[in-house]
Amino acid sequence: ISRTYKLLIPQIPVQAHKAIKDIESCTEDSVSFMFLFLGLDISNQPEKERDNRSHNTWMYPCTDYTQMEKDIENAKAFGAPLPMFVASGSAKDSSWDQTHDRNKKTVVVIAQCPWHWVSEWAKLGKKDREKDASYQ
């Protein structure tokens, strides 16, 4: 398991070592984030249906967030709809149309799921995950 702070702060001050160890000792793995990067060809999409706004969108499968979290935690792996963050990098790039085909777009989707849904693959490297049929 990688700890983000080790990447952000490579030289942790000695004074912080005990505090960090205390925090790590009382935390457990709880969530995992899934990233989906898309390259889209929207040539066949009618102009009036295109969303070229530069914005980020959080999409929720329901309005009761607390119940949604409980449902996700109790669902079998990938058996519940997940909230998603969706953004278009190409829409945020003011020079996109000058440097790329205007019918090509990029989108990133990020979703969070319970750690126990993906923990079986935590110790596998990329090549081993690719060989694992249950990972696919």
Side-chain angles (χ1 to χ4, degrees):
I1 305 300
S2 133
R3 304 286 182 192
T4 304
Y5 71 83
K6 291 179 181 177
L7 298 172
L8 298 174
I9 311 170
Q11 297 298 318
I12 297 170
V14 174
Q15 310 89 298
H17 286 192
K18 183 183 180 324
I20 290 171
K21 291 227 179 285
D22 290 347
I23 292 168
E24 286 181 340
S25 72
C26 66
T27 60
E28 59 185 39
D29 300 321
S30 58
V31 298
S32 181
F33 288 90
M34 299 175 288
F35 298 83
L36 175 63
F37 298 96
L38 301 168
L40 304 175
D41 180 343
I42 59 171
S43 301
N44 294 325
Q45 184 180 26
E47 196 69 39
K48 65 182 180 183
E49 292 179 8
R50 296 183 184 192
D51 182 356
N52 293 319
R53 296 173 296 154
S54 174
H55 66 285
N56 302 324
T57 303
W58 274 101
M59 301 170 72
Y60 296 95
C62 64
T63 56
D64 186 342
Y65 190 83
T66 303
Q67 186 60 49
M68 176 193 69
E69 284 188 319
K70 289 177 186 175
D71 292 345
I72 291 169
E73 183 63 35
N74 295 322
K76 68 177 190 159
F78 308 102
L82 300 171
M84 296 178 282
F85 172 82
V86 181
S88 173
S90 53
K92 295 181 180 313
D93 182 350
S94 60
S95 66
W96 183 267
D97 286 345
Q98 288 78 44
T99 57
H100 298 80
D101 181 331
R102 65 179 299 279
N103 291 314
K104 306 293 186 201
K105 299 292 179 187
T106 61
V107 175
V108 62
V109 179
I110 304 170
Q112 173 183 314
C113 72
W115 173 249
H116 64 87
W117 286 12
V118 297
S119 61
E120 68 183 279
W121 301 293
K123 299 211 181 330
L124 296 179
K126 181 182 183 297
K127 290 181 180 180
D128 291 327
R129 287 192 309 267
E130 287 175 347
K131 293 177 193 171
D132 188 329
S134 64
Y135 183 80
Q136 305 306 316

